Amino acid sequence: MEGQKVAVRITVNGTVRTAMVEPRTLLVHFLRDGLGLTGTHVGCDTSQCGACTVLLNGEAVKSCTVLAVQADGAEVTTVEGLGSLDALHPVQAGFWEKHGLQCGFCTPGVMMAAVALLKENPNPTEEEIREGLEGVLCRCTGYQNIVRAIQYAAKQLASEAEPSEQVAAAGGDA
Amino acid sequence: MASVLGTAVKRREDPRLITGRGRYTDDVQLPGMLYACILRSPHAHARIKRIDVSQAKAAPGVVAVFTGQDLVGRMGTIPTAWLPPDSGIRTTAHPALAVDRVRYVGDGVAMVVAEDRYQARDAVDLIRVEYEVLPAVVDQEEALSEGAPQVHDDAPGNLAFHWKAGNATDEVFAQAEVVVRQRFRQQRLIPNPMEPRSAVADFNASTGELTMWLTSQNPHIHRLLLSGILGIPEHKLRVVAVDVGGGFGAKIACYPDEALVGFAALQLGRPVKWTEDRRENFMATTHGRDMILDVEFAGRRDGTFTAIRVKNIANMGAYLSTAAPGVPTILFGLIVPGPYRIPYAGVDVRGVFTNTTPTDAYRGAGRPEATYLLERMVDLFAREIGMDPVEVRRRNLIPADAFPYNTAMGLQYDSGNYEEALDKALAMLGYEKFREEQEKLRAEGRYLGVGVTTYVEICGLGPSQVAGAVGFQGGLWESATVRVHPSGKVTAFTGTSPHGQGEETTFAQIVSAKLGVPVEDVEVVHGDTHRIAMGWGTYGSRTTPVGGSALAVAADRVVEKAKKIAAHMLEVAEEDVVFADGVFAVQGAPSRRATFQEVALQAYLAWNLPAGVEPALEGSAFYDPTNFVYPFGTHICVVEVLPDTGEVKILRYIAVDDPGPVINPMIAEGQVHGGIVQGIGQALWEGALYDEQGQLVSGTFMDYAMPKARFFPAFETAFTETPSPHTPLGVKGIGETGTIAATPTVVNAVMDALAHLGVRDIDMPLTPERVWRAIRDGRDGA
Ligand code: FES
Ligand code: FES
């Protein structure tokens, strides 16, 4: 049931946002309904599909499983903050280049999961990528082109001068 | 200029989707918008004795609560739009909210509308319903038995329809050299597009216009049906479905929830949004498959097939969903003989009401079920007569020179080279070598198996006259408009409604190729009934063969008109003008030329047009295909079965598909990948389970096994390209081939791996437990 509203201060895609929220408000609803950042999607109610994945202080989290109040004081990166059309993040570029999406509904979450995966393991094997996608579901692509997209992104990132900093910059500057 | 057809143009829809700027229905935010939440029945079958909504009405933020009783006489019921002829079909009333009886877990009972999502959800918990629980029936065979609970009073014996077709008689089977019989269970599947269903309705009282954003595969069908249900004239109802997060058949139907959202917006004068959660999607979005199939297959010892007939008991669930009756009848029955010369074929289909979620189309819709039983029977038959399963297929495939080919079910297959696809796939595998290796490994106690499926499917739905003859309550032609602007840029409108299949790109390629303009100069518009004349939507792999053909014809009309204008500009007769690569030139004097863009500008300026030619440059087509199209191919799967655990490992998966000329190989390959995963999902993991009380036990992603990335190796795909003589571009369709072919391919591979143990059949999904038991029993029995 409804509770007292509490104040939160969350840095979303580099911009400080303050709001009064019910303690039960899910981060994903705060982003979508509160801030109008509808790129982050909701695909389930049991924390399984990963459509809602965002970066919370650089770590991939399922924003349907985090309360907005838990993100108080934190930095959140959503797909809107990943890269812009004229400066796509390598993961976004990979998805476009390799046809890593069809309906696109799972895509923002899968891309955020991929960003985190590549941060942890910049040079993954195909098998490691497939294992790394454990937390996301895609009903359209059959995953193969998602794997190719992430491989493409890994190569791009490796060829850039300082790959790890690039990811961080894309997360914070947009 | 090389043609843009056949090239891997990057998708036009992607920039917005990879930057989070897609506009799916739940993304729509309107000022003053309310949120709806639906109370659903927890019982599979019960009488509603009393509903008390007083507490819910008084809850914070609640604006209205509606029950079934409140809707009686104020809105129409949910219709069924496919009525197979001569089937005695009984369409029982389907109210948007149950009035006195609930018939499945998930049946709508009441709807709350409140100021925000959470308040609506809270208030639903405050509604008190008193139920008298009734006995429920879940299994379709049980539902047909004496004394079974009756789902509808006006459908005695729970029989919804009974449809028969074909020419296979008892005599044919009595005289056959070999008859193989087998029962198969096509388990119930849950389509699970990643985007849940959603609806937003906005009524403008001053114009009388209702706008609805819907998760729809066919906005114009939704408009037509909702107009009837809500009593809003079609020209005052606008349905928008631009970005839709997958459908797979589950977003064809017109659902009660969608109608309710429209009703609430009309009543309350404020915009209303409703989005199901995944739990509701499991319960209240249509399911697929669920058939019990008894098959008889006849042939000769030399390997010749002679007859096939099938008794199909199809579980329709509690109500007949929009297209549902067409699935186990027309879409299933007509393709039962598959790609083989089988002179006799017959089907007998009973559609049965049960206390379960209604079933309807799920990717492939009828064709995967038919292909499954046929390909399984072919393997069983091969085993029976001791012939290699590839050899037996080769002997019976319709030869390339036999097209057009008339089948025992009355279809005329358009074109094909089935053996070419088979040979290509076998070469990709190295079939002979695999067989040797298999034998070697078997001696070491490793169980490898190969499954080969040769298939043909029917798609590109379809000729409208045929649609009418088979009881579809609509046409299946398609509309297209190619609007050239004064600068030569182009907007192309299609009545199909892609939702992941990439036609914003492939259709731009078609128009670009026809007009000789850069592909970037073409914008494709779909999914809005106010912008597009009419359309029948995206399903049944019809989008490119029918919608793409419509655009090709419309573009030809543009060129035809432009040529007249160009001839006038160049001061020559029309016959003396040649058009290529976007340039009109005088035959034999190529320097006298006008570009497409120059002609477009003249068409709009209209200062000096030839006599009888109207200003502007636009072409439209209402294209009705003359036949279906019949994609085909061969899929091969190699599995290893681990005898100790019963686990099935997919080692290789090869797909050779023939969708006619491929417009965008990257997109076509993506369609194949996705289809294969869904097909393998059915073979190995997916299955909806009800308990005897009708509770959906597999009602979340925790209980329903959705395929994940790590379950698969990389697939090896290739195409052959045999044009259809019936479509202007020769294209067929590629959206469903993977799902149609993959399921039997995998199951046949597993049976092949276990053949030496005497295992003949295992019910899908082939879970480790089932496989392990079969290995144990096979061994014991051997
Ligand atoms: S919506 Fe968060 S995991 Fe599915
Ligand atoms: S692209 Fe549709 S669910 Fe992944």
Side-chain angles (χ1 to χ4, degrees), chain B residues 146-168:
Chain B
E146 277 284 310
Q150 298 295 292
V151 181
H152 296 277
D153 297 337
D154 48 354
N158 295 318
L159 187 66
F161 56 82
H162 190 177
W163 183 83
K164 293 180 205 174
N167 61 355

Side-chain angles (χ1 to χ4, degrees), chain B residues 411-414 459-460 462-463 623-630 726-727:
Chain B
L411 296 175
Q412 188 182 83
Y413 293 170
D414 53 355
C459 72
Y623 169 84
D624 202 355
T626 53
N627 190 1
F628 300 103
V629 288
Y630 298 89
H726 299 300
T727 56

Side-chain angles (χ1 to χ4, degrees), chain B residues 264-329:
Chain B
L266 289 172
Q267 294 297 313
L268 303 173
R270 287 173 65 180
V272 178
K273 178 193 282 186
W274 165 84
T275 302
E276 67 182 358
D277 57 28
R278 183 58 57 181
R279 192 180 54 97
E280 286 180 285
N281 178 276
F282 270 94
M283 289 191 289
T285 295
T286 54
H287 295 172
R289 316 280 191 259
D290 205 344
M291 299 175 190
I292 297 172
L293 303 163
D294 285 300
V295 194
E296 291 175 284
F297 188 90
R300 291 201 289 268
R301 296 237 158 249
D302 67 0
T304 313
F305 304 161
T306 55
I308 181 167
R309 67 176 171 187
V310 191
K311 283 202 164 114
N312 178 356
I313 313 176
N315 194 335
M316 307 310 294
Y319 300 96
L320 294 179
S321 175
T322 309
V327 175
T329 53

